[in-house]
């Protein structure tokens, strides 16, 4: 596990929070957006469900910005879109129905990536989330072709819901 992230200025801290909030707002996130200058094992972000959508929280951590700086990793837009995907799966009844069909748990991560993919459209960030979903299905011993076909079908369903 990494140690503490290098310190950043108050200006950089505000800039990070503003960037996260702008992306989250553009993608339709409802609730509060926070930045925590620490490392976690969350992949860089967490969605925390509250009693109502306005009480939901999206927290991004330092590693989300490390990943964004690494051209071979996920851009910040992908990380935020994935978390917005979690909110839609829990808050939007149409998406929640899909989640219930597959069962929550590990499959929720795949569905959140696919919702994020649809929200981002045909962008590098969106395609990366699609690849992530295909890879995670492959981790469940689904062949590459079957995983790709399954994600394509799910994306078409979710496109109608967005």
């Amino acid at each position: 596990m990494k140690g503490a992230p290098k310190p950043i200025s108050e200006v950089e801290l505000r800039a990070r929070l503003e960037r996260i909030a702008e992306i989250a707002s553009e993608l339709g996130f409802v609730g509060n957006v926070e930045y925590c200058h620490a490392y976690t094992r969350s992949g860089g972000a967490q969605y925390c469900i509250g009693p109502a959508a306005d009480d939901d929280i999206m927290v991004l951590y330092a590693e989300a910005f490390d990943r964004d700086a690494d051209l071979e990793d996920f851009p910040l837009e992908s990380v935020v879109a994935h978390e917005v995907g979690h909110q839609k799966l829990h808050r939007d009844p149409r998406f929640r129905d899909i989640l219930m069909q597959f069962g929550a748990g590990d499959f929720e991560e795949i569905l959140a990536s696919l919702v994020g993919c649809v929200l981002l459209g045909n962008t590098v960030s969106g395609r990366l989330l699609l690849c992530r979903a295909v890879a995670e299905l492959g981790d469940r011993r689904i062949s590459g072709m079957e995983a790709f076909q399954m994600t394509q079908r799910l994306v078409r369903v979710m496109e109608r819901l967005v």
Side-chain angles (χ1 to χ4, degrees), residues 72-113:
E72 295 183 16
D73 206 340
F74 283 97
L76 195 58
E77 291 78 9
S78 296
V79 175
V80 173
H82 177 83
E83 299 308 318
V84 174
H86 281 292
Q87 184 180 50
K88 290 203 176 292
L89 288 169
H90 285 277
R91 294 293 184 187
D92 186 318
R94 299 166 304 160
F95 287 100
R96 194 170 47 243
D97 289 345
I98 293 171
L99 179 60
M100 292 305 124
Q101 287 178 11
F102 287 95
D106 289 342
F107 211 83
E108 181 179 338
E109 292 300 314
I110 294 166
L111 294 172
S113 288

Side-chain angles (χ1 to χ4, degrees), residues 15 25 29-30 36 54 66 100 103 108 112 119 126 128-129 136 138 142 157:
S25 176
F29 185 78
V30 177
C36 181
D54 288 343
D66 291 350
M100 292 305 124
E108 181 179 338
L119 292 172
L128 285 170
L129 285 173
E136 287 188 26
I142 296 173
V157 168

Side-chain angles (χ1 to χ4, degrees), residues 137-149:
L137 282 169
D139 290 345
R140 286 160 181 76
R141 298 197 174 137
I142 296 173
S143 77
M145 183 53 76
E146 288 174 322
F148 180 75
Q149 290 170 344

Side-chain angles (χ1 to χ4, degrees), residues 146-162:
E146 288 174 322
F148 180 75
Q149 290 170 344
M150 180 184 269
T151 57
Q152 291 301 305
R153 286 191 304 272
L154 285 167
V155 163
R156 284 192 297 274
V157 168
M158 292 182 188
E159 283 173 336
R160 291 191 299 263
L161 301 178
V162 170

